[in-house]
């Protein structure tokens, strides 16, 4: 008698059921122990891809001190839009800004190869508490984000550097001229004549001579004199009237140089479009516009919206050669 033969006759139903269960589960056990057995590799690849987060899973993780607060991207955009644009601006202008804010985030995540944006939670908690019952105030912002859901601005298939600012000096700046690079060919100079009608277009900032010299001291080479800094200031401008650099010379020697954006932040100037008037005890800066001057002027965008332009027309007017893309 062959004792290796499996005999079903005479076995009870429990033993037979146990054996069948073992046979049924055997492939699964092998897969767990030694990997996928007999599985089509292409099917396995497709399954792995399906398990990975989709692009639509983008979210924001805010560091709140007590922990990480996970916020859906579109919800976070409502908060950002509220922070950067007045609520009385036209709906199409708000939508254009919403697209730029989304583009800004997508471009950052694109470069990092991530689906999670890490941000500081400072201000978020307070903002939620303050605005939780003010839904009417938030309605326009929510609609702007909702009606542009998933849309961002791209150039040759990649998200752009979504630059925007409050108010130009009458013209936006050309990135190629400033950076001597073709990295952002869509950031070209655009006329914004209507910006000159804004109530805060012009401003005056006065800085005492003592404070002026103190702030600039770390940027100077050794061996300078106070009068060298005070008397030797020279400005360089781009074609749109923004200061690109501030140089300090003593005789024929340059003792220091600061780029225009850094200089204007040192003295809290609204923009780098300025001229300086030196007096006996102070220096007076006459400034036009608000912001760095690259990309979309928010004030001009609102004027365009008032004139009937839609958000996509507004964006094309400021970012040449770009097109709208959608997060898939």
């Amino acid at each position: 008698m062959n004792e290796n033969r499996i005999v079903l006759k005479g076995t009870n139903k429990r033993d037979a059921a146990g054996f069948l269960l073992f046979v049924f589960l055997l492939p699964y056990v092998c897969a767990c122990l030694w990997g996928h057995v007999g599985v089509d590799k292409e099917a396995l690849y497709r399954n792995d891809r399906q398990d990975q987060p989709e692009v639509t899973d983008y979210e924001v993780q805010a560091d709140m001190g007590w922990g990480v607060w996970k916020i859906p991207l579109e919800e976070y955009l409502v908060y950002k839009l509220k922070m950067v644009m007045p609520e009385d601006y036209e709906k199409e202008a708000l939508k254009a800004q919403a697209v730029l804010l989304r583009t800004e985030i997508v471009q950052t995540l694109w470069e990092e190869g991530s689906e999670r944006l890490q941000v500081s939670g400072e201000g978020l908690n307070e903002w939620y508490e303050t605005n939780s019952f003010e839904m009417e105030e938030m309605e326009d912002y929510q609609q702007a984000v909702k009606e542009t859901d998933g849309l961002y601005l791209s150039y040759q298939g990649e998200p752009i550097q979504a630059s925007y600012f409050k108010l130009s000096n009458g013209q936006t700046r050309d990135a190629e001229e400033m950076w001597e690079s073709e990295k952002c060919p869509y950031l070209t100079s655009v006329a914004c004549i209507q910006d000159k009608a804004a109530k805060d277009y012009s401003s005056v900032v006065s800085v005492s001579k003592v404070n002026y010299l103190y702030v600039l001291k770390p940027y100077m080479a050794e061996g300078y004199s106070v009068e060298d800094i005070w008397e030797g200031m020279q400005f360089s401008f781009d074609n749109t009237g923004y200061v690109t650099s501030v140089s300090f010379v003593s005789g024929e020697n340059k003792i220091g140089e600061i780029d225009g954006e850094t200089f204007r932040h040192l003295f809290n100037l609204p923009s780098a479009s300025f001229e300086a008037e030196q007096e006996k005890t102070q220096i007076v800066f006459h400034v036009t516009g608000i912001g760095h001057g690259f990309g979309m002027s928010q004030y001009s965008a609102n004027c365009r919206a008032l004139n009937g332009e839609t958000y996509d027309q507004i964006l094309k007017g400021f970012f040449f050669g770009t097109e709208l893309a959608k997060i898939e």
Side-chain angles (χ1 to χ4, degrees):
M1 186 176 186
N2 186 357
E3 295 181 357
N4 293 324
R5 181 168 56 91
I6 299 175
V7 179
L8 294 179
K9 184 178 180 179
T11 59
N12 59 38
K13 293 182 180 180
R14 180 182 300 175
D15 292 338
F19 171 75
L20 290 174
L21 181 61
F22 171 77
V23 172
F24 177 78
L25 293 177
L26 182 59
Y28 174 77
V29 173
C30 293
C32 292
L33 293 175
W34 298 293
H36 297 274
V37 178
V39 178
D40 178 66
K41 290 184 178 180
E42 292 184 1
L44 180 59
Y45 174 77
R46 290 194 297 270
N47 289 336
D48 286 346
R49 296 284 294 179
Q50 291 171 357
D51 289 341
Q52 293 177 359
E54 297 292 336
V55 178
T56 49
D57 289 334
Y58 279 165
E59 70 176 10
V60 176
Q61 296 184 346
D63 184 359
M64 306 300 294
W66 45 261
V68 176
W69 189 358
K70 295 182 179 180
I71 310 170
L73 173 60
E74 299 299 304
E75 183 176 331
Y76 179 72
L77 285 175
V78 176
Y79 161 74
K80 287 291 291 183
L81 188 56
K82 168 71 174 177
M83 294 297 102
V84 303
M85 211 167 197
E87 62 182 297
D88 59 350
Y89 270 25
E90 291 294 301
K91 182 178 180 180
E92 294 302 309
L94 291 175
K95 288 163 68 174
Q97 182 64 65
V99 172
L100 290 184
L101 290 173
R102 189 180 293 106
T103 304
E104 192 174 33
I105 294 175
V106 171
Q107 195 262 348
T108 298
L109 297 177
W110 181 290
E111 289 187 346
E112 295 177 353
S114 173
E115 288 84 29
R116 307 289 180 267
L117 179 70
Q118 307 291 332
V119 299
S120 169
E122 185 177 357
L124 264 174
N125 197 28
E126 180 181 352
W127 180 81
Y128 269 96
E129 290 178 355
T130 303
N131 293 281
S132 58
F133 299 105
E134 300 176 3
M135 298 306 294
E136 290 185 6
E137 179 184 345
M138 301 304 300
E139 185 175 352
D140 289 342
Y141 296 116
Q142 291 171 333
Q143 283 297 112
V145 172
K146 182 179 180 180
E147 292 180 20
T148 61
D149 182 36
L151 293 176
Y152 66 93
L153 210 55
S154 70
Y155 180 80
Q156 295 184 350
E158 296 186 6
I160 70 164
Q161 180 173 315
S163 300
Y164 56 90
F165 60 101
K166 186 173 181 179
L167 179 68
S168 78
N169 68 349
Q171 199 164 354
T172 67
R173 305 176 70 177
D174 190 311
E176 183 177 353
E177 179 189 2
M178 176 62 183
W179 299 323
E180 297 181 353
S181 168
E182 297 181 357
K183 181 181 179 182
C184 302
Y186 44 82
L187 290 179
T188 59
S189 182
V190 177
C192 301
I193 304 301
Q194 58 269 44
D195 284 7
K196 294 184 177 182
K199 63 180 181 180
D200 48 359
Y201 171 74
S202 301
S203 57
V204 177
V205 177
S206 300
V207 181
S208 70
K209 182 177 181 179
V210 172
N211 187 49
Y212 177 76
L213 297 173
Y214 175 78
V215 170
L216 291 177
K217 181 178 178 179
Y219 295 88
M220 299 298 115
E222 295 181 0
Y224 68 91
S225 69
V226 170
E227 290 306 313
D228 287 334
I229 302 176
W230 185 247
E231 300 292 341
M233 181 172 58
Q234 299 178 354
F235 294 153
S236 295
F237 296 88
D238 63 16
N239 289 330
T240 56
Y242 286 84
V243 175
T244 57
S245 66
V246 183
S247 302
F248 299 86
V249 297
S250 177
E252 297 182 355
N253 300 318
K254 183 183 292 186
I255 61 174
E257 184 174 25
I258 306 173
D259 70 80
E261 280 298 298
T262 299
F263 185 90
R264 71 110 165 174
H265 284 296
L266 287 175
F267 298 104
N268 296 317
L269 307 182
S271 87
S273 176
F274 61 84
E275 295 179 349
E277 179 183 358
Q278 287 180 316
E279 299 179 355
K280 186 174 182 179
T281 60
Q282 66 178 0
I283 184 168
V284 180
F285 294 100
H286 299 274
V287 189
T288 53
I290 301 174
H292 51 62
F294 292 100
M296 187 185 79
S297 161
Q298 293 176 327
Y299 185 89
S300 183
N302 191 55
C303 291
R304 286 172 178 251
L306 285 168
N307 289 330
E309 290 191 27
T310 58
Y311 75 95
D312 54 323
Q313 293 173 328
I314 293 172
L315 291 171
K316 284 185 177 295
F318 283 106
F319 302 93
F320 294 140
T322 61
E323 58 185 6
L324 288 171
K326 189 173 180 65
I327 299 175
E328 299 293 346

